[in-house]
């Protein structure tokens, strides 16, 4: 029992180290140096580096879009950035109760999700212990799942989340009754 607090401290240190590595690496990318929100601590840094290296132009365009626009003032709608390589959408809605949301994954695009104002819960999980509830729909680039477990985050304006094809995510989960203004940037998988 006396080792449990030590294990908690070690786990927090490892998590902080991982987050610091991702944030340090991201800060070295010219287009992201002045990016205010931080990348979330559990990002798959190896996949992030791999995807960024494969096509830095579209990642730079995504980060520049976030920096060069007053996101608070952007109206809900779709925003072209670079054709079908990278584009954005802004929504402003009251999120749904947990039972009305779904686990999803994409094959063609990486989701960069950023809550501009308000708060929402976002889940992330691997494909282990999953059951397909809606097969992959190529035109919509989405499949849905029933998954036991996962890790959940309370997303706010301090952090952005990246969801690669190797994981599922469950966005838009209501935290309270406030409107949530959100930016989702779709970045083509390289």
């Amino acid at each position: 029992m006396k080792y449990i607090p030590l294990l908690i401290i070690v786990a927090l240190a490892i998590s902080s180290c991982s987050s610091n590595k991702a944030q340090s690496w991201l800060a070295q990318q010219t287009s992201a140096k002045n990016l205010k929100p931080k990348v979330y601590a559990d990002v798959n840094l190896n996949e992030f580096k791999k995807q960024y290296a494969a096509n830095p132009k579209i990642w730079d365009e995504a980060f520049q879009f976030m920096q060069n626009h007053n996101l608070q003032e952007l109206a809900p709608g779709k925003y072209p950035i670079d054709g079908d390589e990278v584009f954005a959408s802004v929504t402003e809605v009251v999120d749904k109760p947990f039972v009305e949301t779904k686990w999803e994954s994409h094959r063609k695009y990486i989701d960069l999700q950023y809550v501009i104002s308000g708060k929402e819960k976002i889940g992330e999980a691997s494909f282990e212990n999953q059951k397909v509830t809606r097969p992959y729909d190529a035109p919509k680039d989405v499949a849905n799942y029933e998954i036991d477990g996962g890790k959940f985050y309370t997303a706010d304006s301090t952090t952005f989340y990246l969801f690669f094809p190797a994981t599922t995510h469950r966005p838009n989960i209501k935290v309270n009754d406030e409107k949530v203004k959100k930016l989702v940037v779709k970045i083509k998988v390289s």
Side-chain angles (χ1 to χ4, degrees):
M1 284 303 219
K2 64 183 178 181
Y3 296 108
I4 290 176
L6 180 59
L7 290 173
I8 292 170
I9 291 170
V10 170
L12 288 173
I14 289 170
S15 173
S16 175
C17 180
S18 172
S19 175
N20 290 340
K21 282 183 183 177
Q23 201 54 52
S24 295
W25 175 81
L26 182 60
Q28 293 172 17
Q29 311 317 307
T30 304
S31 64
K33 282 188 184 205
N34 298 318
L35 194 61
K36 289 187 180 169
K38 306 295 182 200
V39 64
Y40 75 118
D42 296 328
V43 68
N44 180 334
L45 184 55
N46 290 333
E47 186 65 18
F48 190 9
K49 287 180 178 181
K50 178 180 134 191
Q51 289 294 326
Y52 186 95
N55 198 342
K57 178 182 175 275
I58 62 174
W59 285 93
D60 291 346
E61 290 171 338
F63 294 140
Q64 288 165 2
F65 181 89
M66 291 175 72
Q67 292 177 84
N68 295 338
H69 289 82
N70 182 337
L71 301 178
Q72 288 286 347
E73 293 182 7
L74 278 181
K78 299 212 182 277
Y79 293 87
I81 299 173
D82 187 355
D84 70 346
E85 296 290 306
V86 60
F87 54 93
S89 64
V90 173
T91 57
E92 193 169 20
V93 298
V94 175
D95 284 334
K96 303 172 193 166
F98 181 82
V99 297
E100 293 178 21
T101 62
K102 298 177 182 176
W103 287 103
E104 63 184 50
S105 71
H106 311 290
R107 293 182 187 171
K108 295 180 199 170
Y109 290 96
I110 298 158
D111 270 11
L112 183 159
Q113 297 196 11
Y114 172 60
V115 172
I116 299 166
S117 62
K119 290 183 180 178
E120 81 173 31
K121 281 203 184 277
I122 297 176
E124 181 179 43
S126 69
F127 286 98
E128 297 171 9
N129 302 319
Q130 54 88 6
K131 175 185 170 192
V132 175
T133 57
R134 182 173 156 212
Y136 180 70
D137 180 336
K140 293 182 179 180
D141 188 36
V142 68
N144 294 114
Y145 307 88
E146 185 178 300
I147 295 177
D148 291 329
K151 185 167 186 175
F152 290 86
Y153 307 91
T154 300
D156 62 22
S157 64
T158 63
T159 307
F160 69 90
Y161 297 80
L162 291 171
F163 302 110
F164 299 100
T167 59
T168 61
H169 56 287
R170 189 172 187 159
N172 306 324
I173 303 167
K174 181 190 268 191
V175 170
N176 54 43
D177 288 328
E178 70 185 330
K179 273 191 179 174
V180 175
K181 187 170 189 178
K182 184 174 178 179
L183 171 73
V184 176
V185 180
K186 295 287 197 172
I187 302 164
K188 197 163 199 176
V189 172
S190 294

